[in-house]
Structure formats: C-alpha cells, structure tokens
Amino acid sequence: MIEYLRNNADTVWLALQEHVYLALLPVLFGFLIALPIGYLGVRFPALYHPLINTCGVLYSIPSLALFVFLPVVLGTKVLSPVNVVVALTIYTVALLARTVADGLRSVDPVVVQAATAMGYRRVRRLTGVELPMALPVILAGLRVATVSNISLVSVGALIGIGGLGQLFTRGFQLFYIEPILVGIVLSVLLAGLADLIIVLVQRAVTPWTRAV
C-alpha cells in the first residue's frame, strides 16, 4: 500500500481533494437550507410532522438512483459533479431539518419566556437564545450528516465521479487490492478528522455543556 501511494501520489491527492469538495460543500449548503426549514417546523407546529415525514422520504431515496435521475431534472451532464453536490445537499437537508427542529423544540420554554420578558424580539431571541441552546443537538446532527456524506460520495464513482471512490472502482477493475485499501483508509481518516473538528467546534461554542 505504501508503494502504491508513492507511485500514485498525485492521483490519490487529486482524488482526496475531490472527495473533500464533494462531501463538505453539500454540508454547508444543506446546513444553510435546513436552518430556516427546521425553524418553520417549530414556528408553525402543524408543519412539524409533514416536515419529518418528507425528510424521511427524501433520505430513503437510493443515492445511485438520485445521481442518475438528477441530470434529467437539472439538465446537467451525467458526469457533472453538480449532480453529486445537489444529491448530497438533499440528503443533508433531510437529516438536518429534523435535527434543527428537534434542537429548537428541546429549548426549555421557561428560558424562551424569560428572554421574551427581558425584551428580546423574535429574531434576537432566536439568534441569541434559542439557537445557542439548541446547538448541541444541531451539531450532533451535523456530525452524522458530514460522516454520511463522506461515505456517500464514493457511490458517485459508479457514474464516473466520486473522489476516493474512483480508487475502489479502479482496484475492482484491475483486481488490484492496493487502491481499494488506500481508498478505505483515507475515507475513514477523513471521516474521523471531520468528526473531530466538529466536536472541537462544539466544545468551543457550547462551553456550558462540558462536565464540571
């Protein structure tokens, strides 16, 4: 495996860069989209259960089928990375919209009432009180979504896109185990690193959750 890395360092590095881009960009887009959707599910309780059900249906769509179907809807080429980014953004929204809603619902109503009594208007109360209190739940969902995306990107290799997944397909095609092992190890390390970064961010922005 070490010898394969030495001989194919440029190929592996480019695959890793593509994997990071395809996995993390949808996390950013999905998070920004899920925040207002999750808030609406809390602001209007009648929307909560339809939101949960819709997210469940979206997340149950097989990833490969979605990768193949999206070019028809978006008008993109089959080999365009946009298809993977959009598909993983959909999965991220499906995971995080419910997490955001559940996080906001977990905030103690007494705290919300106290903030209102202190003169906090709706937007200030949301950004200054409710979202910070909901962050532990939201970031836990973000960890799941990030690791899930890093895993799902590899599926895109079956249609010619997929970062480290290309090492898997190359290894299977050539009956060569080294690129498969390299792809697995780097995928696991990337997922572990991303998860660790989110944990460290969570500890930094939610110091009140640390055990005394």
mmCIF file of all heavy atoms in Angstrom, residues 139-156:
data_model
loop_
_atom_site.group_PDB
_atom_site.id
_atom_site.type_symbol
_atom_site.label_atom_id
_atom_site.label_comp_id
_atom_site.label_asym_id
_atom_site.label_seq_id
_atom_site.Cartn_x
_atom_site.Cartn_y
_atom_site.Cartn_z
ATOM 1 N N LEU A 139 -25.464 20.298 16.249
ATOM 2 C CA LEU A 139 -24.116 19.868 15.876
ATOM 3 C C LEU A 139 -23.979 18.349 15.899
ATOM 4 O O LEU A 139 -23.190 17.782 15.135
ATOM 5 C CB LEU A 139 -23.090 20.525 16.797
ATOM 6 C CG LEU A 139 -22.920 22.031 16.598
ATOM 7 C CD1 LEU A 139 -21.912 22.608 17.592
ATOM 8 C CD2 LEU A 139 -22.467 22.335 15.169
ATOM 9 N N ALA A 140 -24.739 17.690 16.755
ATOM 10 C CA ALA A 140 -24.740 16.224 16.738
ATOM 11 C C ALA A 140 -25.284 15.727 15.394
ATOM 12 O O ALA A 140 -24.739 14.789 14.797
ATOM 13 C CB ALA A 140 -25.584 15.681 17.888
ATOM 14 N N GLY A 141 -26.334 16.369 14.915
ATOM 15 C CA GLY A 141 -26.865 16.014 13.594
ATOM 16 C C GLY A 141 -25.899 16.361 12.490
ATOM 17 O O GLY A 141 -25.790 15.629 11.491
ATOM 18 N N LEU A 142 -25.168 17.459 12.644
ATOM 19 C CA LEU A 142 -24.184 17.861 11.638
ATOM 20 C C LEU A 142 -23.062 16.836 11.536
ATOM 21 O O LEU A 142 -22.555 16.559 10.442
ATOM 22 C CB LEU A 142 -23.617 19.238 11.992
ATOM 23 C CG LEU A 142 -22.690 19.878 10.956
ATOM 24 C CD1 LEU A 142 -23.442 20.169 9.673
ATOM 25 C CD2 LEU A 142 -22.077 21.163 11.522
ATOM 26 N N ARG A 143 -22.684 16.256 12.663
ATOM 27 C CA ARG A 143 -21.655 15.213 12.649
ATOM 28 C C ARG A 143 -22.119 14.011 11.833
ATOM 29 O O ARG A 143 -21.371 13.473 11.014
ATOM 30 C CB ARG A 143 -21.329 14.778 14.081
ATOM 31 C CG ARG A 143 -20.613 15.826 14.909
ATOM 32 C CD ARG A 143 -20.504 15.401 16.363
ATOM 33 N NE ARG A 143 -19.716 14.181 16.501
ATOM 34 C CZ ARG A 143 -19.595 13.510 17.638
ATOM 35 N NH1 ARG A 143 -20.237 13.935 18.740
ATOM 36 N NH2 ARG A 143 -18.852 12.410 17.694
ATOM 37 N N VAL A 144 -23.363 13.608 12.053
ATOM 38 C CA VAL A 144 -23.913 12.467 11.315
ATOM 39 C C VAL A 144 -23.965 12.771 9.817
ATOM 40 O O VAL A 144 -23.575 11.947 8.979
ATOM 41 C CB VAL A 144 -25.317 12.104 11.834
ATOM 42 C CG1 VAL A 144 -25.945 11.009 10.974
ATOM 43 C CG2 VAL A 144 -25.255 11.658 13.286
ATOM 44 N N ALA A 145 -24.449 13.970 9.480
ATOM 45 C CA ALA A 145 -24.576 14.349 8.069
ATOM 46 C C ALA A 145 -23.215 14.407 7.383
ATOM 47 O O ALA A 145 -23.062 13.975 6.231
ATOM 48 C CB ALA A 145 -25.278 15.704 7.961
ATOM 49 N N THR A 146 -22.211 14.924 8.076
ATOM 50 C CA THR A 146 -20.877 15.052 7.487
ATOM 51 C C THR A 146 -20.261 13.691 7.212
ATOM 52 O O THR A 146 -19.758 13.426 6.110
ATOM 53 C CB THR A 146 -19.963 15.863 8.420
ATOM 54 O OG1 THR A 146 -20.544 17.158 8.650
ATOM 55 C CG2 THR A 146 -18.582 16.034 7.814
ATOM 56 N N VAL A 147 -20.297 12.812 8.211
ATOM 57 C CA VAL A 147 -19.730 11.473 8.033
ATOM 58 C C VAL A 147 -20.503 10.706 6.970
ATOM 59 O O VAL A 147 -19.923 9.975 6.160
ATOM 60 C CB VAL A 147 -19.731 10.720 9.381
ATOM 61 C CG1 VAL A 147 -19.319 9.263 9.180
ATOM 62 C CG2 VAL A 147 -18.797 11.398 10.368
ATOM 63 N N SER A 148 -21.821 10.866 6.947
ATOM 64 C CA SER A 148 -22.650 10.200 5.943
ATOM 65 C C SER A 148 -22.285 10.663 4.541
ATOM 66 O O SER A 148 -22.163 9.850 3.612
ATOM 67 C CB SER A 148 -24.133 10.477 6.224
ATOM 68 O OG SER A 148 -24.949 9.933 5.217
ATOM 69 N N ASN A 149 -22.085 11.963 4.365
ATOM 70 C CA ASN A 149 -21.717 12.495 3.049
ATOM 71 C C ASN A 149 -20.361 11.972 2.592
ATOM 72 O O ASN A 149 -20.182 11.635 1.417
ATOM 73 C CB ASN A 149 -21.688 14.030 3.080
ATOM 74 C CG ASN A 149 -23.057 14.628 2.861
ATOM 75 O OD1 ASN A 149 -24.066 13.927 2.882
ATOM 76 N ND2 ASN A 149 -23.114 15.923 2.667
ATOM 77 N N ILE A 150 -19.402 11.903 3.508
ATOM 78 C CA ILE A 150 -18.077 11.399 3.153
ATOM 79 C C ILE A 150 -18.176 9.963 2.655
ATOM 80 O O ILE A 150 -17.468 9.549 1.733
ATOM 81 C CB ILE A 150 -17.131 11.510 4.367
ATOM 82 C CG1 ILE A 150 -16.827 12.984 4.654
ATOM 83 C CG2 ILE A 150 -15.838 10.737 4.132
ATOM 84 C CD1 ILE A 150 -16.054 13.228 5.928
ATOM 85 N N SER A 151 -19.090 9.211 3.232
ATOM 86 C CA SER A 151 -19.313 7.835 2.788
ATOM 87 C C SER A 151 -20.031 7.778 1.445
ATOM 88 O O SER A 151 -19.641 7.019 0.542
ATOM 89 C CB SER A 151 -20.122 7.076 3.845
ATOM 90 O OG SER A 151 -20.468 5.794 3.393
ATOM 91 N N LEU A 152 -21.065 8.606 1.290
ATOM 92 C CA LEU A 152 -21.899 8.535 0.089
ATOM 93 C C LEU A 152 -21.197 9.041 -1.168
ATOM 94 O O LEU A 152 -21.549 8.637 -2.274
ATOM 95 C CB LEU A 152 -23.190 9.338 0.306
ATOM 96 C CG LEU A 152 -24.236 8.705 1.224
ATOM 97 C CD1 LEU A 152 -25.375 9.679 1.486
ATOM 98 C CD2 LEU A 152 -24.782 7.420 0.600
ATOM 99 N N VAL A 153 -20.219 9.911 -1.009
ATOM 100 C CA VAL A 153 -19.509 10.426 -2.182
ATOM 101 C C VAL A 153 -18.927 9.283 -3.008
ATOM 102 O O VAL A 153 -18.917 9.329 -4.246
ATOM 103 C CB VAL A 153 -18.382 11.396 -1.751
ATOM 104 C CG1 VAL A 153 -17.433 11.662 -2.902
ATOM 105 C CG2 VAL A 153 -18.979 12.714 -1.291
ATOM 106 N N SER A 154 -18.454 8.243 -2.328
ATOM 107 C CA SER A 154 -17.818 7.123 -3.031
ATOM 108 C C SER A 154 -18.776 6.442 -4.004
ATOM 109 O O SER A 154 -18.336 5.863 -5.002
ATOM 110 C CB SER A 154 -17.289 6.099 -2.023
ATOM 111 O OG SER A 154 -16.291 6.674 -1.208
ATOM 112 N N VAL A 155 -20.080 6.491 -3.726
ATOM 113 C CA VAL A 155 -21.059 5.872 -4.619
ATOM 114 C C VAL A 155 -21.020 6.543 -5.993
ATOM 115 O O VAL A 155 -21.271 5.910 -7.019
ATOM 116 C CB VAL A 155 -22.478 5.944 -4.014
ATOM 117 C CG1 VAL A 155 -23.508 5.327 -4.962
ATOM 118 C CG2 VAL A 155 -22.511 5.252 -2.663
ATOM 119 N N GLY A 156 -20.693 7.826 -6.011
ATOM 120 C CA GLY A 156 -20.631 8.554 -7.267
ATOM 121 C C GLY A 156 -19.598 8.007 -8.234
ATOM 122 O O GLY A 156 -19.660 8.262 -9.439
#
